[in-house]
């Protein structure tokens, strides 16, 4: 396993469409393992393969929402899920807003409005077809990560004015 370098804006790879995974095999499972290691190291809750420069339709998510018992290490709350070739098959009309961030746009956050619920199909790490409906933070995170596979970033969902301000702040942060 390895921690991979995270691709950040304005890297052009973040604007490309990722290719479907033709077969779930050991190579793909190795990528998934590296993606989890990279995501945990960066304290993220979701990561798309394009964010580590792998142009394939792979997403990992772990909201790590379980409350820790006293003395339990942070790792005990881990609940890793991998989604290969995920596809949104339904979105609710009802919408909700979350303050979103992204490992490819460091330390910048903005309120993003998306459908509250989504239905998704995907392949698991054994190559079996899965389907589920998500709501709350999981729905938001899933839509955010699938956007990455299509070259879309959360800042595309906010106003041009807010996007400009956010990118300016990022520029300032990088220049120290
Ligand atoms: Zn992101």
């Amino acid at each position: 396993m390895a921690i991979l370098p995270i691709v950040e804006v304005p890297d052009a790879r973040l604007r490309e469409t990722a290719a479907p995974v033709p077969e779930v095999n050991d190579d793909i499972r190795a990528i998934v393992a590296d993606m989890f290691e990279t995501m945990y190291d960066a304290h993220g809750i979701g990561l798309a393969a394009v964010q580590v420069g792998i142009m394939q339709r792979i997403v990992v998510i772990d909201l790590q929402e379980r409350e820790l018992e006293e003395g339990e290490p942070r790792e005990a709350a881990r609940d890793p899920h991998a989604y290969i070739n995920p596809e949104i098959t339904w979105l609710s009309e009802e919408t909700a807003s979350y303050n979103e961030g992204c490992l490819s746009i460091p330390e910048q956050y903005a309120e993003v409005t998306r459908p509250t619920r989504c239905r998704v199909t995907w392949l698991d790490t054994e190559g079996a077809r899965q389907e589920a409906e998500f709501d709350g933070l999981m729905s938001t995170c899933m839509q955010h990560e699938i956007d990455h596979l299509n070259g879309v970033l959360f800042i595309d969902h906010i106003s041009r004015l807010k996007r400009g301000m956010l990118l300016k702040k990022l520029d300032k942060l990088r220049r120290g």
Side-chain angles (χ1 to χ4, degrees), residues 154-171:
F154 82 88
I155 53 173
D156 300 339
H157 294 284
I158 63 178
S159 74
R160 209 161 124 178
L161 180 71
K162 279 187 188 159
R163 181 163 58 247
M165 278 163 49
L166 186 149
L167 291 173
K168 212 180 234 173
K169 273 193 347 204
L170 176 60
D171 214 37

Side-chain angles (χ1 to χ4, degrees), residues 6 35-36 38-48 51 59-65 74 77 79-83 98-103 109 136-142 144-145:
I6 293 174
M35 286 173 66
F36 275 118
T38 303
M39 181 184 79
Y40 289 130
D41 177 68
H43 302 290
I45 59 170
L47 187 75
Q51 290 181 277
V59 161
V60 298
I61 295 178
D62 185 347
L63 301 183
Q64 300 163 73
E65 283 185 315
R74 199 186 148 83
D79 182 24
H81 294 279
Y83 305 88
Y98 271 96
N99 197 33
E100 294 190 26
C102 181
L103 295 176
Y109 303 89
L137 180 58
M138 187 60 200
S139 173
T140 288
C141 192
M142 185 61 81
H144 175 123
E145 298 311 331

